[in-house]
Amino acid sequence: VKRVFAYKLKPTKPQEAALVGYLDATRHLYNAALEHRIAVYKATGRGPTAVEQQREIKDIRRLDGWEWLADLSFNPLKEAVIQLDKSYAAFFRRVRRGEKPGFPRFKSARRWSSFTFATYGDGIKLDGEARRLYLKGVGRVRIRLHRDLEGQPRVTTICRKADGWYAHITCDLGPAPELRTGPCTAIDVGLESFATFADGSKIANPRHGRRGHIGVTTAQRTVSRRRRGSTRRRKAVNGLARERQREARRRRDFHHKTARVLVDQFATIAVEDLQTANLVRRGGAYKRGLNRSIHDAGWRQFVDILSSKAEEAGCQVVKVDPRRTSQACSGCGSIVMKALSVRTHDCPDCGLVLDRDHNAALNIYQRAWAGSVVEAA
Ligand SMILES: [Zn+2]
């Protein structure tokens, strides 16, 4: 079981400059490695491997004039090359699947906001007592440890966000516990309420109000009123980024709390498999609105959080085939077609009348036990 712990960093001015130095160095290496791959491929018909490129970085570090690179930990430098290798692998995977992917691209400073230490203890170490995170070439950076680290730290990613620097430390918590037995439920996610359960109860969509903050919409309006290239516009853009981050954090918080409650209460939770849902929609005449995409992204995050909490607690999240969960009758199996605006399921064959989402949740529940499970995580 793995868990990510996120902490805010409080670097001094010189430390911040050194962190920016890491961003620049890793980005340049990524871009150089990409250029090198393209050139070698053109010349020889086969690209260099990530291992060969890592070896070259080691050699460069020994050259005169490249001492600045030697002052940094090799750990994130090597990781930049591995990241490029992963983008290549993803590119070819999509090509093989017959899709039209974009070729890995050169990264501008705006598109590069993090670097990763894959091995803990190599150029990076946390001093919990002193509340400092040591980074080679940066020094001992103050870290806000609002909660203790658990398990064995493995991978650390340092990110620059709108409101400062963060360390994301992934820890290994050991083997997963035995699966629990206990009550089961199914969840249907809708646009109207956040979730509906197999017993008919619901969780409302969170209203992310503006308590004390101006909100994304207002911040967007401010940006559009400012003259292009002006200092005030740049400030407004920063303000907008902070509002977006705040909203994302609030949503994430809501997902964490909801998942916690569910995992404490149930031993098995059935959900729709979103991957299958997307495939089905792409093939059919499904009109995919933007609100649907935003909704799916939120749902995916929630299921990820739910699954990882479930794993730690010995609870099971079961993903079922999502086809026609809202059209099929949970009482008799008849298909009762209805538009999205029709909120009640009213079956002419067996007389069942139910809230639309409750009917869907019951279908998900039944599918989980009928064995049409796509994936049990
Ligand atoms: Zn029926």
Side-chain angles (χ1 to χ4, degrees):
V1 180
K2 292 200 168 60
R3 196 194 291 168
V4 183
F5 296 83
Y7 301 111
K8 185 149 197 193
L9 296 174
K10 291 268 164 191
T12 60
K13 278 264 139 63
Q15 286 174 342
E16 180 163 17
L19 290 174
V20 173
Y22 262 112
L23 277 185
D24 286 342
T26 46
R27 182 169 67 87
H28 285 310
L29 278 178
Y30 180 95
N31 286 339
L34 176 55
E35 198 181 314
H36 178 230
R37 267 199 179 216
I38 295 170
V40 173
Y41 183 81
K42 271 185 188 152
T44 66
R46 89 168 256 290
T49 66
V51 177
E52 285 163 2
Q53 291 198 315
Q54 285 176 44
R55 207 177 300 132
E56 284 201 49
I57 297 175
K58 278 220 156 124
D59 293 339
I60 294 170
R61 271 157 47 105
R62 291 195 201 97
L63 298 177
D64 282 342
W66 291 85
E67 293 81 5
W68 61 276
L69 208 53
D71 290 340
L72 302 178
S73 165
F74 184 61
N75 206 344
L77 304 184
K78 150 190 102 178
E79 213 47 37
V81 173
I82 292 172
Q83 193 182 331
L84 174 67
D85 205 49
K86 283 181 187 157
S87 340
Y88 258 82
F91 170 75
F92 286 116
R93 202 164 45 236
R94 273 181 247 127
V95 169
R96 273 196 302 276
R97 261 198 250 127
E99 297 169 26
K100 274 193 189 155
F103 192 73
R105 32 176 185 172
F106 291 98
K107 302 284 185 184
S108 66
R110 278 182 56 188
R111 290 182 167 274
W112 193 269
S113 56
S114 70
F115 54 95
T116 297
F117 292 75
T119 318
Y120 183 78
D122 175 8
I124 184 162
K125 200 162 170 43
L126 182 70
D127 183 347
E129 300 245 314
R131 299 185 166 249
R132 291 283 194 278
L133 181 68
Y134 167 77
L135 297 166
K136 188 186 173 192
V138 179
R140 289 159 54 81
V141 183
R142 266 176 63 207
I143 183 168
R144 201 188 283 157
L145 287 173
H146 58 282
R147 61 189 285 203
D148 284 334
L149 212 60
E150 291 165 44
Q152 225 33 53
R154 297 273 188 248
V155 179
T156 311
T157 299
I158 309 290
C159 330
R160 178 162 63 179
K161 295 195 178 174
D163 66 342
W165 294 83
Y166 287 83
H168 293 179
I169 308 177
T170 306
C171 293
D172 195 339
L173 300 182
E178 296 270 316
L179 284 182
R180 262 183 8 219
T181 54
C184 312
T185 193
I187 319 177
D188 175 65
V189 281
L191 294 167
E192 283 211 344
S193 22
F194 175 72
T196 306
F197 296 92
D199 68 353
S201 59
K202 285 171 185 275
I203 298 179
N205 269 317
R207 289 266 163 265
H208 299 308
R210 330 216 131 139
R211 278 158 309 187
H213 300 302
I214 56 169
V216 169
T217 325
T218 316
Q220 253 159 352
R221 220 172 293 140
T222 312
V223 169
S224 62
R225 272 201 306 261
R226 302 279 187 256
R227 195 161 37 80
R228 271 183 192 285
S230 68
T231 312
R232 294 180 76 214
R233 186 186 171 98
R234 210 186 52 234
K235 277 188 185 150
V237 168
N238 283 341
L240 174 60
R242 266 200 308 279
E243 278 311 318
R244 284 226 173 90
Q245 193 187 0
R246 207 171 271 146
E247 196 177 283
R249 197 178 288 149
R250 246 183 253 138
R251 200 178 312 121
R252 213 185 159 74
D253 236 43
F254 169 74
H255 287 167
H256 269 284
K257 283 185 185 133
T258 310
R260 176 86 271 144
V261 171
L262 292 179
V263 164
D264 286 346
Q265 207 173 340
F266 298 103
T268 308
I269 302 164
V271 296
E272 286 183 310
D273 181 49
L274 207 68
Q275 210 115 34
T276 318
N278 283 339
L279 286 176
V280 173
R281 284 181 202 136
R282 212 179 295 153
Y286 192 94
K287 240 173 98 190
R288 196 178 165 79
L290 179 62
N291 62 352
R292 184 78 218 184
S293 304
I294 293 169
H295 172 262
D296 284 0
W299 174 237
R300 202 172 298 123
Q301 172 176 293
F302 175 68
V303 172
D304 284 349
I305 290 171
L306 182 67
S307 303
S308 74
K309 282 213 193 323
E311 196 186 5
E312 285 177 31
C315 161
Q316 206 175 18
V317 174
V318 176
K319 293 179 183 169
V320 305
D321 188 334
R323 262 167 280 199
R324 297 194 158 183
T325 44
S326 33
Q327 313 297 348
C329 174
S330 59
C332 67
S334 289
I335 299 296
V336 187
M337 293 309 284
K338 45 188 160 310
L340 196 64
S341 56
V342 178
R343 303 307 309 165
T344 309
H345 168 79
D346 188 347
C347 179
D349 291 332
C350 72
L352 182 71
V353 179
L354 263 186
D355 170 72
R356 175 200 178 98
D357 297 338
H358 185 190
N359 179 60
L362 283 171
N363 279 326
I364 296 168
Y365 189 85
Q366 287 164 7
R367 280 179 200 189
W369 312 122
S372 56
V373 170
V374 178
E375 183 196 334

